[in-house]
Amino acid sequence: IYIYIYIQSNRLKMNVIDHVRDMAAAGLHSNVRIISSLLLTMSTNNPELFSPSQKYQLLVYHADAIFHDKEYRNAACKYNMALQQKKVLSKISKVRPSSTGGTTSAVQAQNFPSEIEVKYKIAECYTILKLDKDAISVLEGIPSRQRTPKINMMLANLYRKAGQERSAVTSYKEVLRQCPLALDAIIGLLSLSVKGAEVASMTMDVIQSIPNLDWLSVWIKAHAFTHGGDNQRAINTICSLEKKSLLRDNVDLLVTLADVYFRAGDTKNSILKFEQAQMLDPYLIKGMDVYGYLMAREGHLEDVEVLGGRLFNISDQHAEPWVISGCHSFYSKRYSRALYLGAKAIQLNSNSVQALLLKGVALRNMGRVQEAIIHFREAMRLAPCRLDCYEGLIDCYLASNGVREAMGMANNIYKTLGANAQTLTILATVCLEDPMTQEKAKTLLDKALAQRPDYTKAVVKKAELLSREQKYEEGIALLRNTLANQSDCVLHRMLGDFLVAVNDYQEAMDQYSIALSLDPNDQKSLEGMQKMEKEESPTDATVELDGDDMEGSGEEGDLEGSDSEAVQWADQEQWFGMQ
């Protein structure tokens, strides 16, 4: 009753709306939601209480409060109701112009929530709800001249996600035209194969007019190299930037450098740069999914578990901590859990390449190859210069006996990205599957190792080829040379296998032990040790049979010694398995 009496006069009606607007501006969202709901109900029961313009404002403030509560479907519905009310208001204003003149209309327009902003909010709701087509439709309904930079940026990202590259390029360029220092828009253009020189030209005026921005053209060049697949030149360019005193110890640069090292297959330097960035910013989330993956792949599962827990404490609304936990599960051979965690990460960020790869490898290892292929293809679309996306797809093709498809994909990578150590190794990997192309594989691997003698994947494939050809001494020399400069679980295990082949059991055991110290979950190293144990037992039995002519006390002693040795091997095996 009191509210009803309070809002009878036009002056007091405006005061109620002003109060609601002030509360909204002050961030009192729960209060706005309650009062706007009450006032809207009163308006429904008595349409004369509020003017169409006041009802429009109430609907927008009510929708904003609902949006803040993360009820996105409800918010989108209320925003659309507000737009319908705005149409009614527009029709009334055309038929009945304001009698008080232009000043009053201008004041009301100034206080009105922007119709363009309402449409942007609707698009935001649809994007969160994964209704990308609906979001694009709403934003395209805004005339191009009225689109703000954030509207163009959202449109560009949505177009890119939908595969509409030309439209995405146009929208990104429009963002840069309005905001020349929008660096994420620059990265978006470069990722869509727009030339670095063209992008740099769009920022030239601001670089020349503002002091201490000369680094920006180099920064653009570095990202152009990265998205063009020229990792080595990208590394050199970023290092030259990072060494400059004004940009030294910049976390974003360090993460970018770590990511490029990762793309180039340089695991050691990638981990080093990620750790450096993490020390500078303990709350860093960006790039930590790649860091966690590398650590898991290297066998540091305890560190990965700690990293995942720490990131969950920072934010569980990002994909990265879920990916890290998924990598821990995958390398602990809990593939179903890894699959679930990968799916959760994709739900939070459908553009997370690392999440798509995690889900892909989990599906592949569970035998669901066709589903895995879908995820690897999506990862390839999002990151066309990341070779691990192609490697996952090729592994799926080979797992399903699709050698022809794998060969076509490998040749395409080789032609597109050039003859570097990684592309040569990928092509050689496929060639190894066909006996007719073994010699070609050998030539490709030799070229890869000539470029990068320390490239682990090339060394592993060359060692596999030498093992097939039973060139054990040559394989041992290759692995020793590589291990002289780095320590890797797989390389130590393979060296152990080669040493077993030449009957050097003691050093083979040493190599298996080193491999297990680097990755206690390495099943193949454990199998190698078990195989050596089984081969040792028949030897002991032969010795005992040869001693039949000896006295009984001697035979009994040999048997006791054999039992003691078996217990010792079992103890060693249990110890290694627990590390």
Side-chain angles (χ1 to χ4, degrees):
I1 293 170
Y2 286 109
I3 294 176
Y4 181 80
I5 295 170
Y6 183 73
I7 62 178
Q8 288 307 302
S9 70
N10 287 334
R11 182 177 63 83
L12 292 178
K13 285 180 190 177
M14 288 305 297
N15 282 341
V16 170
I17 304 300
D18 288 344
H19 279 298
V20 176
R21 184 180 64 247
D22 291 345
M23 284 193 293
L28 301 176
H29 303 291
S30 61
N31 299 275
V32 170
R33 183 166 184 173
I34 295 170
I35 187 65
S36 60
S37 173
L38 291 168
L39 296 174
L40 285 167
T41 302
M42 293 174 64
S43 174
T44 302
N45 292 328
N46 186 353
E48 300 298 323
L49 287 176
F50 294 104
S51 68
S53 63
Q54 290 172 329
K55 189 173 180 181
Y56 166 70
Q57 293 177 74
L58 280 174
L59 281 166
V60 174
Y61 297 139
H62 188 56
D64 286 342
I66 294 171
F67 182 89
H68 185 266
D69 287 340
K70 300 181 180 180
E71 299 176 24
Y72 302 113
R73 288 189 186 276
N74 191 6
C77 177
K78 296 300 187 294
Y79 282 127
N80 277 310
M81 288 172 64
L83 288 181
Q84 291 299 319
Q85 184 64 30
K86 188 67 167 62
K87 288 180 181 178
V88 172
L89 180 60
S90 300
K91 289 178 182 178
I92 293 172
S93 63
K94 287 179 181 178
V95 174
R96 189 175 59 197
S98 174
S99 60
T100 58
T103 305
T104 305
S105 299
V107 172
Q108 287 181 347
Q110 189 176 9
N111 291 331
F112 268 22
S114 165
E115 183 179 352
I116 293 173
E117 185 65 22
V118 171
K119 288 183 177 180
Y120 178 81
K121 283 288 189 181
I122 294 172
E124 241 186 331
C125 291
Y126 287 152
T127 302
I128 294 168
L129 295 168
K130 314 296 184 188
L131 303 172
D132 293 346
K133 289 183 179 179
D134 292 330
I136 291 172
S137 178
V138 170
L139 294 177
E140 285 180 338
I142 302 172
S144 56
R145 291 184 179 180
Q146 297 179 18
R147 292 175 190 171
T148 61
K150 70 176 181 179
I151 289 173
N152 279 312
M153 190 71 187
M154 181 184 278
L155 259 178
N157 290 332
L158 287 168
Y159 282 141
R160 181 185 169 194
K161 188 177 176 182
Q164 300 178 43
E165 295 188 359
R166 286 188 179 181
S167 298
V169 167
T170 302
S171 295
Y172 279 132
K173 285 182 176 180
E174 190 59 29
V175 174
L176 276 184
R177 188 186 67 79
Q178 297 169 297
C179 303
L181 293 180
L183 301 190
D184 203 27
I186 288 174
I187 292 174
L189 284 172
L190 294 172
S191 70
L192 293 170
S193 302
V194 178
K195 298 295 184 183
E198 182 182 350
V199 176
S201 67
M202 301 178 71
T203 64
M204 197 57 64
D205 290 341
V206 72
I207 291 174
Q208 292 175 349
S209 62
I210 299 177
N212 298 320
L213 273 186
D214 55 316
W215 54 267
L216 183 54
S217 58
V218 183
W219 184 92
I220 294 171
K221 186 188 294 185
H223 281 275
F225 286 141
T226 301
H227 290 284
D230 195 341
N231 295 319
Q232 193 53 53
R233 292 176 75 182
I235 288 168
N236 294 338
T237 309
I238 297 171
C239 284
S240 71
L241 265 181
E242 209 269 325
K243 288 176 183 176
K244 288 188 175 182
S245 57
L246 291 177
L247 292 176
R248 187 177 296 130
D249 291 337
N250 176 264
V251 172
D252 284 329
L253 270 183
L254 286 170
V255 170
T256 302
L257 183 56
D259 185 63
V260 181
Y261 272 127
F262 163 65
R263 292 176 183 227
D266 190 343
T267 301
K268 181 179 178 181
N269 278 317
S270 181
I271 290 175
L272 188 67
K273 292 300 176 183
F274 275 128
E275 288 175 346
Q276 191 177 342
Q278 198 179 28
M279 287 176 66
L280 290 167
D281 183 3
Y283 296 100
L284 178 66
I285 292 180
K286 181 183 177 182
M288 290 294 99
D289 50 350
V290 176
Y291 175 56
Y293 160 69
L294 290 175
M295 295 290 284
R297 196 179 70 182
E298 293 295 300
H300 307 303
L301 293 184
E302 289 184 6
D303 295 333
V304 173
E305 190 172 14
V306 171
L307 176 65
R310 188 169 62 77
L311 259 66
F312 272 119
N313 287 332
I314 296 171
S315 172
D316 62 355
Q317 296 303 305
H318 287 75
E320 284 83 352
W322 297 92
V323 171
I324 291 168
S325 293
C327 289
H328 181 276
S329 296
F330 179 82
Y331 283 95
S332 300
K333 304 190 186 307
R334 293 181 291 169
Y335 302 127
S336 296
R337 179 166 174 76
L339 179 62
Y340 162 75
L341 293 167
K344 177 65 177 177
I346 293 170
Q347 186 179 11
L348 290 168
N349 181 7
S350 58
N351 291 329
S352 172
V353 174
Q354 211 59 44
L356 288 164
L357 293 176
L358 170 63
K359 195 175 177 186
V361 294
L363 287 166
R364 184 192 66 203
N365 281 33
M366 294 170 69
R368 296 159 62 177
V369 177
Q370 294 305 314
E371 293 176 69
I373 287 173
I374 294 171
H375 288 79
F376 286 124
R377 282 178 175 165
E378 178 62 14
M380 280 170 48
R381 189 184 69 80
L382 292 170
C385 291
R386 276 189 57 167
L387 289 174
D388 50 344
C389 303
Y390 298 92
E391 289 174 328
L393 187 58
I394 287 172
D395 287 343
C396 286
Y397 285 145
L398 294 177
S400 57
N401 296 319
V403 178
R404 180 178 296 177
E405 292 88 347
M407 184 63 75
M409 178 66 67
N411 277 316
N412 184 47
I413 300 167
Y414 180 79
K415 292 174 183 176
T416 304
L417 299 180
N420 57 55
Q422 291 168 284
T423 56
L424 288 164
T425 303
I426 290 172
L427 186 55
T429 301
V430 182
C431 289
L432 284 172
E433 297 297 316
D434 186 352
M436 301 296 293
T437 54
Q438 296 286 308
E439 284 301 316
K440 183 180 179 180
K442 185 176 181 180
T443 303
L444 292 166
L445 290 171
D446 288 341
K447 287 181 179 178
L449 290 171
Q451 288 187 21
R452 284 183 56 184
D454 62 337
Y455 185 46
T456 304
K457 289 184 179 180
V459 174
V460 168
K461 291 300 174 183
K462 181 67 182 292
E464 287 179 7
L465 183 58
L466 292 172
S467 178
R468 292 183 189 181
E469 296 175 345
Q470 297 185 0
K471 296 180 179 179
Y472 302 121
E473 294 294 345
E474 192 175 336
I476 289 170
L478 171 68
L479 292 167
R480 287 193 195 281
N481 288 336
T482 308
L483 287 168
N485 300 313
Q486 60 178 303
S487 189
D488 180 87
C489 170
V490 176
L491 297 182
H492 282 291
R493 184 225 305 151
M494 294 188 80
L495 180 55
D497 293 341
F498 274 90
L499 290 166
V500 167
V502 296
N503 301 322
D504 192 345
Y505 297 115
Q506 185 56 51
E507 191 180 352
M509 180 61 67
D510 293 340
Q511 294 299 326
Y512 289 137
S513 300
I514 296 170
L516 285 166
S517 69
L518 294 171
D519 182 3
N521 295 314
D522 184 45
Q523 193 63 32
K524 291 186 177 180
S525 293
L526 284 170
E527 290 172 358
M529 296 180 72
Q530 290 170 354
K531 185 178 179 181
M532 287 180 63
E533 179 185 355
K534 289 178 182 178
E535 289 179 354
E536 189 73 16
S537 297
T539 305
D540 293 341
T542 305
V543 172
E544 291 160 12
L545 289 172
D546 289 342
D548 281 346
D549 293 337
M550 296 184 180
E551 297 180 3
S553 58
E555 182 180 344
E556 188 177 345
D558 288 340
L559 288 171
E560 289 174 356
S562 176
D563 289 342
S564 174
E565 187 175 1
V567 170
Q568 184 180 0
W569 280 110
D571 289 342
Q572 281 191 342
E573 180 186 337
Q574 185 179 8
W575 185 87
F576 286 127
M578 292 171 63
Q579 297 304 304

